[in-house]
Amino acid sequence: MKILLTGKNGQVGSELEKSLAPLGELTALDRQGLDLSNPDSIRQLIRQLRPDVIVNAAAYTAVDKAESEPDLAQAINGTAPGIFAEEASRLNALLVHYSTDYVFDGTKSTPYTEQDAPNPLNVYGRTKLAGEQAISAQASRFLIFRSTWVYDAHGKNFLNTIKRVGAQRPELAIVNDQYGAPTWSRDIAQATAQAIGLYLAMAEPQRANGIYHLTAQGNTSWFDFARAAAECGLFADIAHPPALRAIPGSEYPTPARRPMYSVLSNAKLLKQFGIQLPQWEVSLRECLKCRLG
Ligand SMILES: NC(=O)c1ccc[n+]([C@@H]2O[C@H](COP(=O)([O-])OP(=O)(O)OC[C@H]3O[C@@H](n4cnc5c(N)ncnc54)[C@H](OP(=O)(O)O)[C@@H]3O)[C@@H](O)[C@H]2O)c1
């Protein structure tokens, strides 16, 4: 089985490179290998490689920058997934793609299900929704996993940002009224490999086509996530670790608006595939190799 993976240097992509390798002959590409802003190169590569499974972990993920680069964000997050879908359908290949909690407006106070209507608040969310819609309309075999607050020990994410900034400041003010489920990229990658295996073994896999919420269990605020990471030794290498101060989101204006509540129910994933990720604190400890045990 031939597998094409894009975005191999990203948080999820780098973990997928490890978890997909046992499933077949893996071609893992970074931006130099395949630029998603170039539709012709996507078509050309897929027609040449003829993969059985395409896993698209590449995306425009700079949420605030997207506000000033909507066309590029749309090309990568909205248009490219549609091209993957068209090409995958021609080959009857399975397309696996990732989306985000930012398709929702965050006005609910109970976990969002796949049935809830999206209403993105920012450019990034709108372009990711466009990608979902293009795939749902055009792919014959597809799985879309929506995740939230993705982190890893490496890569561009909240934890590494507060670690970097915390080394330069005595105090960090962190938002305490936005809620989500911090999700480790390794958990996403391992669950993806498991779901692909189960999908391909089904007698009628198309019946499992669709969007699935794939996040850690439980939820927290950015402030409590930071505090848990600090207790786990996030700032252990810093001579003077920063104090953490809770603030409302209104005191931390950003170019892109974010949902206040973006917890996703994973019940559909559990029912269809029997997959459930660990509680967020458990994975955080594992990821940071928690020194306080
Ligand atoms: N991060 C989150 O909190 C979060 C939350 C929910 C959902 N998601 C979704 O989960 C998926 C994986 O996210 P992630 O956290 O792994 O993102 P990430 O670490 O930012 O990785 C994204 C990868 O896409 C690549 N990329 C960007 N533009 C490209 C282009 N034009 N052509 C080819 N590759 C390009 C980047 O390459 P460079 O390294 O060269 O820039 C990077 O390696 C995405 O679909 C994202 O929308 C993420």
Side-chain angles (χ1 to χ4, degrees):
M1 181 169 79
K2 279 192 194 170
I3 306 167
L4 169 63
L5 168 66
T6 67
K8 74 163 185 168
N9 293 334
Q11 300 189 87
V12 176
S14 58
E15 289 294 335
L16 280 167
E17 192 170 7
K18 293 179 251 174
S19 58
L20 295 178
L23 300 185
E25 184 190 328
L26 178 65
T27 302
L29 301 176
D30 60 11
R31 188 196 294 249
Q32 277 69 46
L34 182 62
D35 183 350
L36 265 62
S37 65
N38 182 342
D40 289 341
S41 68
I42 301 176
R43 287 199 184 90
Q44 203 181 352
L45 181 102
I46 295 176
R47 288 177 193 189
Q48 198 184 329
L49 193 69
R50 302 184 64 77
D52 304 292
V53 179
I54 300 170
V55 182
N56 179 32
Y60 185 111
T61 56
V63 176
D64 288 314
K65 206 170 164 201
E67 296 295 311
S68 53
E69 287 187 336
D71 294 344
L72 183 59
Q74 172 61 24
I76 296 167
N77 293 344
T79 308
I83 296 165
F84 280 118
E86 269 173 46
E87 295 300 322
S89 292
R90 285 161 54 101
L91 299 170
N92 203 27
L94 166 63
L95 174 60
V96 180
H97 179 74
Y98 298 91
S99 191
T100 170
D101 52 324
Y102 285 9
V103 298
F104 294 119
D105 61 17
T107 52
K108 271 186 85 177
S109 53
T110 55
Y112 281 90
T113 73
E114 293 80 353
Q115 254 76 53
D116 284 315
N119 183 29
L121 298 175
N122 56 44
V123 168
Y124 169 74
R126 284 196 283 280
T127 63
K128 292 296 291 184
L129 179 60
E132 289 184 359
Q133 289 168 340
I135 290 174
S136 305
Q138 294 173 82
S140 57
R141 290 150 68 92
F142 70 98
L143 297 170
I144 298 172
F145 296 116
R146 283 188 190 138
S147 199
T148 60
W149 295 22
V150 178
Y151 69 89
D152 188 26
H154 309 285
K156 282 174 272 176
N157 59 48
F158 172 75
L159 292 184
N160 286 325
T161 301
I162 62 169
K163 191 173 174 180
R164 190 185 69 247
V165 180
Q168 299 152 9
R169 293 190 196 160
E171 183 186 80
L172 290 179
I174 300 183
V175 173
N176 200 25
D177 58 0
Q178 286 171 11
Y179 297 91
T183 304
W184 188 15
S185 55
R186 180 171 299 175
D187 289 337
I188 296 174
Q190 289 177 348
T192 300
Q194 202 185 338
I196 291 173
L198 292 167
Y199 181 99
L200 294 175
M202 284 174 187
E204 294 180 90
Q206 267 105 332
R207 295 182 67 166
N209 282 354
I211 296 175
Y212 293 86
H213 292 172
L214 170 62
T215 70
Q217 303 310 296
N219 68 80
T220 187
S221 70
W222 290 113
F223 176 76
D224 284 330
F225 179 36
R227 195 160 56 175
E231 283 168 7
C232 238
L234 181 71
F235 302 117
D237 301 337
I238 298 173
H240 302 289
L244 303 181
R245 183 167 59 91
I247 55 163
S250 56
E251 281 183 27
Y252 191 78
T254 51
R257 276 179 71 204
R258 281 150 168 86
M260 297 294 281
Y261 178 92
S262 55
V263 181
L264 308 182
S265 164
N266 286 201
K268 182 181 172 191
L269 182 76
L270 182 61
K271 187 162 178 242
Q272 179 65 55
F273 293 109
I275 294 173
Q276 191 173 47
L277 299 191
Q279 191 73 15
W280 70 267
E281 298 97 320
V282 172
S283 291
L284 178 67
R285 283 188 211 116
E286 176 86 13
C287 174
L288 295 182
K289 303 191 174 15
C290 193
R291 289 164 218 194
L292 303 178

